[in-house]
Amino acid sequence: MDSTSPIKIKNALLIFTQWSYKDALIQTYTLPYVKIIRHAIPADKKIFLVTSEQEAISLSRDEIAQVNTAWKEQNMELIALPYRRFGIKKLLGFAGQVFQLIKLIVGKKVDVIHAFCTPAGGMAWILSVLTRRKLVIDSFEPHAVAMVENGTWTKTGLAYRILFWLERKQAQRATYIISATAGMREFAKTTYGIDIGSKMFVKGACVDTTLFYPRPKDPQLSASLGLGGDKIVCVYAGKLGDIYYNEEVFSFLHAAYDFWGDRFRFLLLTNKNRAELDAQLDQAGIPHHVLVNQFVPHKEVARYLSLADFGITPVKPVPSKRYCTPIKDGEYWAMGLPVVISPNISDDSSIIESTGTGVVLDMADTSAHRSAIEQLDKLIHADDQAALREKILQNAQTYRSYSIPARIYPAIYA
C-alpha cells in the first residue's frame, strides 16, 4: 500500500466487536490479533475490548471479573455489552449504549476506535464521528451485499440500506482499512465510489500454527470414531445452510460414497441435531454410518482434523464471497490437508487451483462431482505425499501466517 503516517496512541485504544466473548470469532479470530496489537503499542497505553454478549453464551459478572483480573497486568479491560441483531432495533438499542461508550472514550482519552467487520464498524463509525476519534476498520468485507446474495436480507430492506450506507461511511472515514483480499480496493471504488487503495492493508484469516500443524492420526481417537484402517475421511468443521451449501453437500457425499464405497466416511464437526442429519442422509441415499458428527471445542478441532484425508469449504459462490476469507481454509492448510472449495471464494480458490493443492468445485453442479472426486483420489494417493503436504503447508505460511498482521499492526500504530 502507499505509505502514510502511523497513528500514535497517546492514551488508549478501543477495540470494538459485535461478537460474544465465548464465540469462536472472538477466541480465534479477534484475541490473537489483539495480542499482536498489544505488542505493537506501548505497554502503558490501555486497550479496551468491547464485546456484544448473546444471552445464550453471555459472560456472567464473575466471568467478566476473572477476565479483567487476568488482563490487568497487560493493561487491558473487557467491556461486555448486550447483543442485538443488526437492524433498527439494534440501532435504537445502541443509542442507549452510546452515552456509556462516549463517557468511556472521552473519560479514558481513547485515541482510536478499531472495529472488527462492518456491522461493528457501523457502530464504531457513529462513535468516531461523535467523539472525533480516528477510526480503523479491520476485516473490511461487503457484509450488506453478502446478506442480500445469500437471501437473508432484501435489497429494499431497512437493514441492508442502513448497513450499506454505514459501510460506505466507514470506507470514507477510516484512517486505515484492513481487508481480507486485495480485490476490496476495486470493490470499494466501484460499489461505494471511494478509493481506499492508499490506506488499505490485506490480511486473510490467519491460523495459529502452534495449534494447527501436521501430525499422525490419533489412533485411539480414530478407533473410537470408527475411522481407522483404510478409511478415506472427508472433514468439515462448520455449519450447513445459509451462506453454505446444504443439500448439495450431501449430493457430493453420495458421489464420494459411490466412488470409494464403504471406505468413505464424512466427519462433520458441528452441533447440528443428529435426527436432522439422518433425514438428509436418507434423502441422499447414504447409509447413516457414513456420517460421524461431533461437536468439539475449538482447541480440540486440530486433533479431529488430523484424522482426515481432505477438507471441504462448501461456501456458496455468490459474488461478494470473492472479498471474504474462510477461516477454515487456513486451518486445513496448516494441517496439510487438500481442500475442496467453491469457485471464486476469496483468493483461496485460485490459490488451490494454481498450486494443485485441492479441487475447485461448485457443489451445485452435480455433473462435476465424479471428476472432482477422481482428482481428489489422485491427490490422496499421490506417490510423493511429503511434497504435496509441503505445498499445502506453504499456502498456510504464505497467506495465513501471523507474521502478516505482525507487520500490519506496527505499520498502523506508532
Side-chain angles (χ1 to χ4, degrees):
M1 67 164 268
D2 298 335
S3 178
T4 54
S5 300
I7 303 168
K8 186 173 183 179
I9 304 295
K10 297 178 181 178
N11 300 288
L13 173 68
L14 179 71
I15 297 176
F16 197 87
T17 78
Q18 287 292 283
W19 303 313
S20 303
Y21 182 83
K22 293 179 182 178
D23 193 313
L25 286 167
I26 290 288
Q27 294 299 313
T28 66
Y29 188 71
T30 304
L31 291 182
Y33 300 133
V34 173
K35 183 178 180 181
I36 295 170
I37 293 170
R38 175 68 284 174
H39 287 296
I41 65 176
D44 63 335
K45 313 307 179 189
K46 185 143 188 174
I47 294 177
F48 296 95
L49 173 65
V50 176
T51 60
S52 186
E53 299 295 308
Q54 296 187 44
E55 189 175 350
I57 56 173
S58 63
L59 292 171
S60 67
R61 287 185 180 181
D62 286 345
E63 287 174 321
I64 295 170
Q66 288 169 13
V67 170
N68 281 328
T69 298
W71 281 7
K72 190 173 183 180
E73 64 182 33
Q74 300 175 64
N75 200 14
M76 290 169 49
E77 184 177 338
L78 175 66
I79 310 293
L81 301 177
Y83 168 85
R84 289 181 178 86
R85 186 180 292 276
F86 191 87
I88 192 66
K89 289 183 179 179
K90 182 176 188 68
L91 291 174
L92 291 173
F94 180 69
Q97 296 171 352
V98 165
F99 179 76
Q100 176 186 352
L101 289 167
I102 288 177
K103 185 178 178 182
L104 172 70
I105 292 166
V106 174
K108 299 297 182 180
K109 298 180 180 179
V110 168
D111 302 287
V112 182
I113 304 170
H114 184 125
F116 277 85
C117 291
T118 61
M123 308 297 104
W125 175 83
I126 294 170
L127 291 170
S128 172
V129 170
L130 292 176
T131 61
R132 299 183 181 181
R133 263 43 177 195
K134 289 184 182 294
L135 179 66
V136 172
I137 303 297
D138 208 325
S139 306
F140 187 67
E141 300 174 345
H143 190 79
V145 171
M147 292 294 277
V148 170
E149 289 174 347
N150 66 39
T152 305
W153 291 351
T154 64
K155 207 163 186 177
T156 56
L158 191 59
Y160 167 79
R161 286 184 289 164
I162 291 171
L163 184 56
F164 184 86
W165 184 81
L166 285 170
E167 285 176 350
R168 186 176 184 279
K169 288 297 183 182
Q170 291 168 59
Q172 198 171 41
R173 183 174 177 83
T175 303
Y176 286 106
I177 286 173
I178 305 170
S179 297
T181 69
M184 271 305 293
R185 287 188 178 93
E186 186 61 27
F187 181 90
K189 196 169 185 178
T190 58
T191 308
Y192 306 130
I194 297 169
D195 183 1
I196 62 172
S198 63
K199 58 184 180 182
M200 193 186 98
F201 288 92
V202 177
K203 167 180 68 67
C206 298
V207 61
D208 184 353
T209 53
T210 65
L211 183 60
F212 292 87
Y213 56 87
R215 68 195 76 181
K217 295 185 179 185
D218 183 324
Q220 188 175 355
L221 180 61
S222 183
S224 70
L225 297 175
L227 302 177
D230 64 347
K231 297 290 189 297
I232 292 174
V233 181
C234 167
V235 70
Y236 175 52
K239 300 175 183 177
L240 295 171
D242 193 17
I243 67 170
Y244 304 99
Y245 280 132
N246 190 355
E247 291 84 3
E248 296 84 354
V249 171
F250 285 87
S251 294
F252 172 78
L253 298 177
H254 183 271
Y257 183 71
D258 276 351
F259 185 84
W260 284 303
D262 204 47
R263 294 170 61 203
F264 178 69
R265 292 292 184 272
F266 180 45
L267 177 58
L268 178 61
L269 304 181
T270 182
N271 58 357
K272 191 170 184 179
N273 183 277
R274 179 70 203 207
E276 293 179 33
L277 294 170
D278 284 343
Q280 289 185 281
L281 289 168
D282 290 337
Q283 188 174 2
I286 305 169
H288 290 192
H289 68 269
V290 170
L291 188 151
V292 179
N293 69 297
Q294 191 95 8
F295 178 72
V296 297
H298 190 264
K299 64 182 179 181
E300 291 290 321
V301 167
R303 188 165 163 247
Y304 284 78
L305 293 187
S306 75
L307 307 179
D309 295 287
F310 66 95
I312 61 172
T313 303
V315 179
K316 293 176 183 176
V318 297
S320 63
K321 289 304 169 189
R322 179 66 183 80
Y323 311 105
C324 301
T325 177
I327 296 173
K328 55 185 64 63
D329 287 345
E331 295 173 347
Y332 292 151
W333 287 342
M335 298 294 295
L337 294 177
V339 180
V340 179
I341 190 170
S342 305
N344 300 315
I345 304 300
S346 188
D347 294 326
D348 297 4
S349 302
S350 59
I351 291 167
I352 288 167
E353 186 170 36
S354 64
T355 58
T357 52
V359 177
V360 177
L361 167 70
D362 185 349
M363 288 190 179
D365 182 6
T366 55
S367 66
H369 287 182
R370 177 78 180 194
S371 61
I373 290 163
E374 289 172 353
Q375 290 180 60
L376 271 173
D377 190 64
K378 290 177 182 177
L379 285 172
I380 293 168
H381 297 104
D383 292 334
D384 195 343
Q385 284 294 310
L388 175 62
R389 179 161 289 188
E390 186 57 37
K391 279 205 297 183
I392 296 171
L393 290 174
Q394 191 61 49
N395 289 346
Q397 291 162 3
T398 303
Y399 304 105
R400 293 294 194 274
S401 169
Y402 277 119
S403 64
I404 298 169
R407 293 191 299 270
I408 291 174
Y409 293 127
I412 289 176
Y413 296 113

